[in-house]
Amino acid sequence: EIETSLFFLSPRITLDLLIIKTSVALTILIKYLRDNGTKMSQDQQAVNGVSCVSKVLTLDTMNPNVRRVEYAVRGPIVQRAVQIERELREGVKKPFTEVIKANIGDAHAMGQKPITFFRQVLALCSYPDLLEDNKFPEDAKKRARRILDACGGHSIGAYSASQGIECIRQDVARYIERRDGGIPSSPDNIYLSTGASDAIVTILKLLVCGEGRDRTGVMISIPQYPLYSAALADLAAVQISYYLDEENCWSLNVEELRRALKEAKQYCKPRVLCIINPGNPTGQVQSRQCIEDVIRFAKEEHLFLMADEVYQDNVYADGCKFHSFKKVLFEMGPEFSSTVEMASFHSTSKCYMGECGFRGGYMEVINMDPQVKAQLTKLVSVRLCPPVPGQALLELVVNPPQPDEPSYSTFMKERTAVLAALGEKARLTEETFNSVPGITCNPVQGAMYTFPCISLPQKAIDKAKEEGLIPDMFYCMKLLEEEGICLVPGSGFGQKEGTFHFRMTILPPTEKLKVVLQKIRDFHLRFTQEFS
């Protein structure tokens, strides 16, 4: 290192230093560098390519809120799954030939086919020359021309208005009106977004303020979708956890909301209540009575309601029905519909569409202060606009083929088949898990996931602690290593102390799902025996 540094000195000094003892050389070198450091270039301050200047951005100097963010759906188990896939490609021998990622609700990655009409219109929008091709149906061409006419330069490659393309927002409003039995919806209250997640985080940004005991508290369900806890950590908001009732099919009890709120008032200012319906990761569908109770509670406690309704078409269980929070709110009368502030969210990523990669979505705001709404519009304008192809896809979701159009029959056949298959897989999953000793699974009433409770032997719990792992993480990691099945441990979503779960999507094709369920069954029995 001394010789490397001496390279930068004058030849005469270098020669003198090299012929004396190393200790003396080091002393002279340090003095020389100190006296002449301002004259040295930045390149000369590097030794063996390593800068002597400390990094500007380190773990100590970075935003501490980001360090607190966790997102279990793509956490350590998923990272290990990716490594295993690489090892399999490199010829490493495993007890399995593929990794099945049942950790995330990515329908197309699991083999679900796109809806034909959607992809036809998107192809036409992406390459307008195809409008002259007689292979495409006329209703698809009509939709494509309408979308292109609303785009700058007739191209989906152009920016749109920050709130979203106007004619698409109009169609979203009409879609909401049809869904809710004629209750009015204004396009001025519609904001198109980069999936529902982007809109959820945007609303939370508006709501979070204060310091200390006045810091905004946000009520989220436990188990919850990790987007919420991650966003709250990033915004330095206070998470207020309320627990769903696992003994009653993950239902929401207002008394539990009251308990959580009362405790939270000791250390923060509760301002927001988040509801996911149908539920993720728990798959429950809230009853109309439950929704009414939640709205009354929000009004009494002066809370802003956030209704995450991205699975609204995914309802499978007999006797269950999706009720939008907005519809129930307005049917409760002006006392509620004119006062309760709310934002509801939908996405093109779920339901029968499964078009996760296009990142299309919207939110509707209700009873928002006009001045705050202007700030919301300003905030979304900073991001310029949502992806225009995603906006185009959303247009097709809210304005699908009609009975008198040529694409209607195929569209309805494909839509019905997807939802029917999901319903069958929901029942299959519940039945299979409940047949395994030590696994208890509530009915999958809706959404795309099951969240079974697993009984773990004490020896397994102790072993997990020895390895520095949460017990259900230990369980899921062993399942991945031994069977190639990638699940998410329940601890990543939150759960009652002393209980253990995992989340699994029901999206794999039926035959592959049967394989997954059998592998989990075999593993659980083997795991239980190993640690008994």
Side-chain angles (χ1 to χ4, degrees), residues 373-430:
K373 193 173 165 187
Q375 295 297 312
L376 171 60
T377 302
K378 177 186 74 176
L379 184 58
V380 299
S381 71
V382 173
R383 303 181 189 180
L384 297 179
C385 70
V388 175
Q391 295 186 53
L393 175 62
L394 179 64
E395 157 67 17
L396 306 175
V397 172
V398 300
N399 185 21
Q402 298 304 302
D404 60 345
E405 293 181 315
S407 298
Y408 178 78
S409 177
T410 299
F411 168 77
M412 288 303 298
K413 181 180 178 181
E414 293 174 344
R415 181 186 188 277
T416 301
V418 169
L419 294 175
L422 287 171
E424 181 57 36
K425 288 185 284 190
R427 288 183 285 274
L428 172 66
T429 301
E430 176 198 348

Side-chain angles (χ1 to χ4, degrees), residues 89-285:
R89 289 194 297 270
E90 293 171 352
V92 177
K93 297 299 181 184
K94 302 282 183 182
F96 45 86
T97 58
E98 67 170 333
V99 173
I100 301 176
K101 294 179 181 176
N103 62 295
I104 194 167
D106 191 349
H108 292 189
M110 289 285 98
Q112 180 178 310
K113 300 299 182 185
I115 299 296
T116 301
F117 181 76
F118 292 173
R119 289 303 180 90
Q120 286 175 329
V121 177
L122 291 170
L124 292 164
C125 288
S126 299
Y127 189 56
D129 286 359
L130 292 175
L131 288 165
E132 307 304 319
D133 193 324
N134 58 15
K135 294 178 182 177
F136 289 83
E138 284 304 313
D139 54 345
K141 292 181 179 181
K142 181 179 179 181
R143 292 292 201 291
R145 290 190 182 99
R146 182 169 184 265
I147 293 169
L148 291 171
D149 286 346
C151 294
H154 298 274
S155 170
I156 61 170
Y159 287 133
S160 76
S162 296
Q163 199 169 337
I165 296 172
E166 184 175 0
C167 70
I168 298 178
R169 288 190 290 112
Q170 291 170 350
D171 283 348
V172 170
R174 282 189 280 266
Y175 162 81
I176 293 172
E177 288 181 356
R178 292 194 303 272
R179 182 198 67 187
D180 293 343
I183 294 170
S185 176
S186 168
D188 289 340
N189 292 332
I190 305 297
Y191 289 77
L192 307 191
S193 57
T194 307
S197 300
D198 173 55
I200 289 167
V201 173
T202 298
I203 290 295
L204 287 172
K205 281 186 177 181
L206 287 180
L207 286 159
V208 174
C209 67
E211 299 294 338
R213 291 184 62 176
D214 288 329
R215 190 64 173 169
T216 295
V218 180
M219 302 184 72
I220 65 172
S221 62
I222 300 296
Q224 54 101 21
Y225 178 47
L227 163 71
Y228 290 90
S229 57
L232 298 183
D234 187 30
L235 296 170
V238 179
Q239 175 179 319
I240 305 171
S241 300
Y242 65 88
Y243 290 87
L244 301 177
D245 186 355
E246 185 170 9
E247 300 301 316
N248 289 290
C249 206
W250 299 111
S251 62
L252 194 164
N253 189 314
V254 172
E255 289 309 309
E256 169 61 13
L257 293 179
R258 297 190 194 285
R259 177 205 64 77
L261 186 79
K262 182 179 179 181
E263 291 181 5
K265 285 181 177 179
Q266 305 301 312
Y267 54 83
C268 71
K269 185 173 183 179
R271 301 181 68 211
V272 191
L273 173 57
C274 301
I275 307 288
I276 307 175
N277 181 49
N280 175 10
T282 45
Q284 85 284 3
V285 178

